[in-house]
Amino acid sequence: MKKTLLEMRNITKEFPGVKALDNVNITVQEGEIHAIVGENGAGKSTLMNVLSGIHPYGSYTGDIYFEGQECRHLNIKDSERLGIVIIHQELALVPYLSIGENMFLGNEQHRYGVIDWDQTYRKAKDYLLMVGLEEDPRTLIKDISIAKQQLVEIAKALAKNVRLLILDEPTSSLNEQDARKVLDLILKLRQEEGITSIIISHKLDEIEYCADRITIIRDGCTVETLDKKLDNVTEERIIRGMVGREMSSRFPQRENTIQDEVAFEVKNWTVYHELYTERKVVDNVSLNVKKGEVVGIYGLMGSGRTELAMSIFGQAYGSNITGTIVKNGEVLELNSIAEAITSGISYVTEDRKENGLLLGSSIMHNITLPRMDFVSKGGRIDKYLERKT
Ligand SMILES: Nc1ncnc2c1ncn2[C@@H]1O[C@H](COP(=O)(O)OP(=O)(O)O)[C@@H](O)[C@H]1O
Ligand SMILES: [Mg+2]
C-alpha cells in the first residue's frame, strides 16, 4: 500500500478578475514522480505557489495535508521546514555569489554566529556530487551555464533536506541533452534517496519518460489523474485533457497565404562576438522570407539564433558584421536599432521582462515607446496622440 505524502483538496484561488484555481484536487504518493500538465495559464504554477506558501493561508480556500498533517503555510519558510522545496521556472540564484553561497543562502552554515566557510564549501561539494556536477563551489553563478544552474538549484533543495521537490518547467530553457540529464537526476534521486517530485511540464515526451502519475489541469480545474501503470496513457489522451476537445490533427490545416514575392532577404550574414571579437557566432547565414510567410529559425540553445536575429535588427548585437539585408528589393544599411525600426523591422526580445518591456511603465507607454515620432510634437509627448496611437 502506497503512502500519501501530499493531499490538496478543493483548492480555489482567485486573483482580481481571474479564478486561477477552481476546486483543484491532487494527491501525491510518497516516492513517486508526479507530473502536472496543462496549457499556459491553466493554473499549474499558482497551485504550487499555494502549496509552498507564496500564496499564504487565507488567500485561497481548500485544505492541504502533508504527511497527514494539515498545513497552513504563511510563507515559504513554513513549507520548507516540512521539506517542500519549489524550484521556479525562472531560476532564483544570485549571479554574483558563488555556488556554495547560493546553496546555503538563508540557511548559512555557521559556528558561534560566524559563517563557517570551510563547512559551507565542503557540504556544497557533497551536494554537487549528488547531482553529478563537478564544479568548484567557489565558482560564481554567472560563470556557469543555465543547465548547470538548474542542477545547483536541485543541489540547493537537497541541502534543505527536501521531502517533496517541485520543479516548475525545469527543462524549458535547456537543450535536449541537458533536459535529459535533469530528468535522469530526478529519477536517480527517487531511486537512491526516495525523493518525491512534482514536475510541471508540457513536454509530453518528458512526462512519458519520467512520470509515474500525471494530473491534467485545464482552466484552473483538475481534469483527471492518470497512472502510467493502470491507465491507458497516450499523448492523445493527455492533449485532449489539456485542451478540452478532440484533436483531429495536432497541426490544423491553414490557408496558404504565401506569395511568390520575396519580402525580406538576408545574404551571407556573418557576425562576431560582441566582446570576444575573434569568435564567430553567425557564419555565413542566408535566408529569405516570402510575403505572407512565417519562417522558423531552429537550433539548440547557443547555436546563434538570437545573435542572428539581433544582429539583423540594426546590429543590436555583434561586431564586425558582414552581409546584405534586402527588404522589398531594396538593400538596407541598418546601423542602429532606430534605423531598423523606421525601416519597418520589429524585434520581440527573448527575455521580455529584462530587455523588451519597461515593467514600471504603462502598457500605453510601452506600446508607443519605439515610435516616439508618432506620439510627440516639438520634442514632447502629446498625450492625445499617445492615447490615440
Ligand atoms: N500573481 C498573480 N496575479 C494575478 N493573476 C495571476 C497571478 N499569478 C497567476 N495569475 C493568473 O492565474 C492564471 C494561472 O496562471 P499560472 O498558474 O501561472 O498558469 P500556468 O503556470 O499553468 O501557466 C492565469 O490566468 C494568470 O494570468
Ligand atoms: Mg507556470
Side-chain angles (χ1 to χ4, degrees):
M1 182 67 194
K2 290 211 182 88
K3 215 178 112 196
T4 297
L5 183 66
L6 169 75
E7 197 180 349
M8 297 180 79
R9 274 190 221 149
N10 303 325
I11 304 291
T12 296
K13 166 81 191 161
E14 286 186 49
F15 294 111
V18 217
K19 199 173 215 178
L21 298 173
D22 188 1
N23 265 309
V24 170
N25 289 289
I26 183 171
T27 304
V28 176
Q29 288 160 357
E30 177 121 52
E32 76 171 344
I33 296 177
H34 196 117
I36 299 180
V37 302
E39 290 192 300
N40 254 333
K44 306 178 296 292
S45 298
T46 303
L47 184 66
M48 292 302 105
N49 290 340
V50 164
L51 173 60
S52 62
I54 293 172
H55 299 318
Y57 179 75
S59 72
Y60 60 88
T61 60
D63 302 306
I64 304 174
Y65 292 89
F66 191 74
E67 302 195 287
Q69 298 287 323
E70 196 193 348
C71 303
R72 298 181 168 189
H73 302 142
L74 296 178
N75 50 46
I76 301 183
K77 278 255 173 258
D78 286 349
S79 60
E80 287 194 344
R81 211 170 294 129
L82 298 177
I84 300 172
V85 181
I86 180 165
I87 299 178
H88 294 282
Q89 187 172 2
E90 298 178 24
L91 301 182
L93 300 169
V94 185
Y96 282 91
L97 291 183
S98 70
I99 295 176
E101 284 171 308
N102 268 283
M103 215 181 277
F104 292 102
L105 197 62
N107 175 26
E108 282 76 10
Q109 302 300 297
H110 54 80
R111 255 189 1 184
Y112 312 117
V114 180
I115 293 186
D116 184 341
W117 290 110
D118 281 345
Q119 181 164 321
T120 299
Y121 286 117
R122 200 167 27 186
K123 278 197 173 174
K125 186 100 200 162
D126 290 344
Y127 287 117
L128 288 180
L129 281 180
M130 277 172 79
V131 300
L133 191 57
E134 283 177 36
E135 199 78 40
D136 184 343
R138 287 177 175 80
T139 311
L140 298 184
I141 288 295
K142 72 174 181 59
D143 295 329
I144 62 174
S145 67
I146 295 278
K148 286 183 178 175
Q149 290 182 28
Q150 185 65 253
L151 297 177
V152 170
E153 285 272 23
I154 296 174
K156 182 175 174 181
L158 294 175
K160 292 176 184 164
N161 290 321
V162 63
R163 302 261 298 117
L164 173 63
L165 179 63
I166 302 164
L167 302 115
D168 195 346
E169 311 223 11
T171 63
S172 59
S173 50
L174 306 185
N175 67 34
E176 241 167 90
Q177 210 181 344
D178 289 333
R180 189 46 74 93
K181 259 192 220 159
V182 169
L183 300 179
D184 282 336
L185 174 61
I186 297 165
L187 285 164
K188 183 185 115 167
L189 290 174
R190 177 188 60 172
Q191 202 71 27
E192 293 176 6
E193 317 283 336
I195 290 175
T196 313
S197 309
I198 293 179
I199 176 167
I200 296 179
S201 178
H202 45 234
K203 296 186 186 162
L204 300 184
D205 54 328
E206 293 187 349
I207 291 161
E208 191 89 57
Y209 182 68
C210 69
D212 301 302
R213 293 199 305 149
I214 302 156
T215 292
I216 304 168
I217 294 184
R218 182 174 75 239
D219 296 334
C221 303
T222 7
V223 176
E224 59 179 343
T225 295
L226 302 171
D227 189 320
K228 214 159 40 183
K229 288 210 195 74
L230 305 175
D231 299 306
N232 177 26
V233 179
T234 61
E235 283 203 0
E236 274 65 38
R237 183 160 174 185
I238 297 175
I239 293 172
R240 198 192 326 132
M242 280 168 58
V243 302
R245 59 191 147 81
E246 208 61 56
M247 291 294 270
S248 42
S249 75
R250 282 183 66 178
F251 302 103
Q253 279 293 320
R254 278 185 307 180
E255 207 182 320
N256 189 350
T257 54
I258 303 171
Q259 300 169 26
D260 286 334
E261 191 186 329
V262 173
F264 188 76
E265 205 173 353
V266 175
K267 290 188 215 164
N268 308 109
W269 199 253
T270 296
V271 180
Y272 286 82
H273 197 283
E274 217 160 49
L275 298 174
Y276 312 107
T277 51
E278 71 290 345
R279 195 146 96 212
K280 212 184 254 182
V281 286
V282 176
D283 189 2
N284 205 25
V285 169
S286 297
L287 60 89
N288 68 63
V289 187
K290 290 182 179 154
K291 216 166 180 176
E293 186 178 37
V294 177
V295 173
I297 298 176
Y298 187 79
L300 291 179
M301 272 197 41
S303 60
R305 300 162 305 178
T306 303
E307 289 79 358
L308 170 64
M310 283 180 70
S311 58
I312 292 171
F313 186 60
Q315 309 198 2
Y317 173 90
S319 62
N320 195 13
I321 299 171
T322 53
T324 321
I325 296 175
V326 183
K327 186 166 175 268
N328 296 326
E330 185 193 339
V331 175
L332 297 181
E333 283 283 343
L334 304 176
N335 295 310
S336 69
I337 294 175
E339 285 174 27
I341 292 175
T342 44
S343 303
I345 300 174
S346 297
Y347 178 64
V348 178
T349 55
E350 181 178 26
D351 187 346
R352 286 173 287 277
K353 265 171 142 174
E354 193 75 25
N355 302 323
L357 297 168
L358 297 178
L359 297 182
S361 295
S362 66
I363 296 174
M364 177 171 78
H365 193 57
N366 270 284
I367 291 175
T368 55
L369 193 57
R371 288 312 297 257
M372 279 294 150
D373 51 328
F374 287 177
V375 297
S376 54
K377 265 191 197 150
R380 295 175 74 107
I381 292 179
D382 182 306
K383 284 269 182 259
Y384 171 73
L385 277 179
E386 193 180 30
R387 209 160 296 134
K388 202 170 120 209
T389 306

